[in-house]
Amino acid sequence: MKTHFQGQSTGLYRNNGKAEFDDVTARAGLSPERRFISWGTGLVDFDNDGYPDLLVATGTVYPELEKVYAKYPRLTPRLMFRNQGNGTFVELGDEAGPGISARHMSRGCAFGDFDNDGDMDVLIMNRNEPPSLLRNDAPAENHWIKVRLEGTKSNRSAIGARVLVRYGGKVQAQCVTSQSSFLSANDPRLHFGLGAAFKASVEVHWPAGTTESFADLPVDQLVTIREGQGIVKGRPFR
């Protein structure tokens, strides 16, 4: 996924498994939204249904233009697209909440569960004003699991590790990275929305080359995995 300048839609690229990427922006329904200059972004499952949604922070670089051209506003809203589970997204408006429709001149955004309640929140950096901390409350009927990795033979932060979560005949994959989008770094705990599932299996591919698997884990919990030692007691989640 890659944000672009005004007049260009945010690009979505699908990995075909052969180290090649197909541009699926139009197919995913993202092409119509081209109104704003876009910056930080992320594919994050905000409602824990197992399908990552899309959020984009927007902000102009020419605030003086608003006085001359109304179509170039100084302050712009955030953009949010809900994943419909069939490879397409639908843009949300006011129903996404005041934190999304509020207008700012934004740049970077980072995602994490700051209040540790089992859903993903957002921190957005704004120009010439304090940052915005957006609290999300996911549907209570949808479940989740978080994975925190501690490397031993691999680097301590487990950067580069790949985690597969299998549940209800589905599979999700995420990697631990040091940076997420424009000048931003996400919560290093990997978050997986699981929908109605009550159990999940976790498979960790460590940067050092080893693999560890953990079957039938209860959901709605933070699992701390230390390389070579399995699941260990981590820092308190609540």
Side-chain angles (χ1 to χ4, degrees):
M1 185 171 55
K2 186 178 185 298
T3 55
H4 291 289
F5 205 77
Q6 192 166 19
Q8 300 171 294
S9 53
T10 294
L12 186 63
Y13 305 91
R14 181 178 182 273
N15 186 344
N16 65 11
K18 301 178 182 178
E20 300 171 341
F21 291 83
D22 300 321
D23 188 337
V24 295
T25 305
R27 191 187 318 167
L30 302 178
S31 294
E33 181 53 82
R34 307 181 181 187
R35 294 175 293 168
F36 310 118
I37 300 172
S38 299
W39 300 87
T41 186
L43 275 168
V44 177
D45 188 354
F46 289 110
D47 53 7
N48 286 339
D49 65 351
Y51 298 100
D53 308 296
L54 171 61
L55 187 143
V56 178
T58 71
T60 186
V61 294
Y62 306 118
E64 66 277 6
L65 285 180
E66 183 180 55
K67 297 179 180 180
V68 182
Y69 301 106
K71 68 177 181 178
Y72 299 126
R74 185 176 67 88
L75 304 178
T76 56
R78 292 76 191 245
L79 304 176
M80 188 170 184
F81 302 82
R82 173 173 287 159
N83 191 328
Q84 301 189 91
N86 59 3
T88 66
F89 295 79
V90 59
E91 185 170 1
L92 302 180
D94 292 339
E95 66 268 35
I100 300 300
S101 58
R103 292 177 174 257
H104 299 267
M105 193 188 309
S106 302
R107 292 295 187 263
C109 63
F111 303 87
D113 189 358
F114 86 92
D115 52 358
N116 289 332
D117 65 348
D119 50 41
M120 294 295 278
D121 309 297
V122 191
L123 178 68
I124 302 177
M125 302 305 295
N126 305 307
R127 290 205 63 191
N128 302 319
E129 63 170 313
S132 301
L133 182 58
L134 310 185
R135 174 176 172 169
N136 171 40
D137 289 307
E141 64 269 19
N142 288 343
H143 300 289
W144 52 273
I145 193 167
K146 289 183 186 292
V147 178
R148 180 177 181 270
L149 300 181
E150 297 180 357
T152 53
K153 294 181 179 179
S154 302
N155 64 86
R156 178 65 170 76
S157 299
I159 293 171
R162 184 166 181 257
V163 175
L164 303 180
V165 172
R166 294 183 170 86
Y167 60 101
K170 301 177 181 178
V171 61
Q172 291 187 50
Q174 292 187 39
C175 292
V176 180
T177 60
S178 60
Q179 189 261 351
S180 51
S181 67
F182 183 78
L183 298 178
S184 305
N186 292 342
D187 185 340
R189 302 174 300 179
L190 301 181
H191 178 94
F192 299 85
L194 304 175
F198 288 96
K199 296 283 185 179
S201 296
V202 174
E203 182 179 297
V204 182
H205 296 262
W206 296 97
T210 58
T211 300
E212 295 182 87
S213 298
F214 308 90
D216 296 328
L217 299 178
V219 299
D220 299 340
Q221 67 162 327
L222 168 65
V223 178
T224 300
I225 301 174
R226 185 171 296 147
E227 186 177 15
Q229 300 177 30
I231 297 175
V232 298
K233 183 178 181 181
R235 290 191 289 269
F237 186 59
R238 299 189 186 280

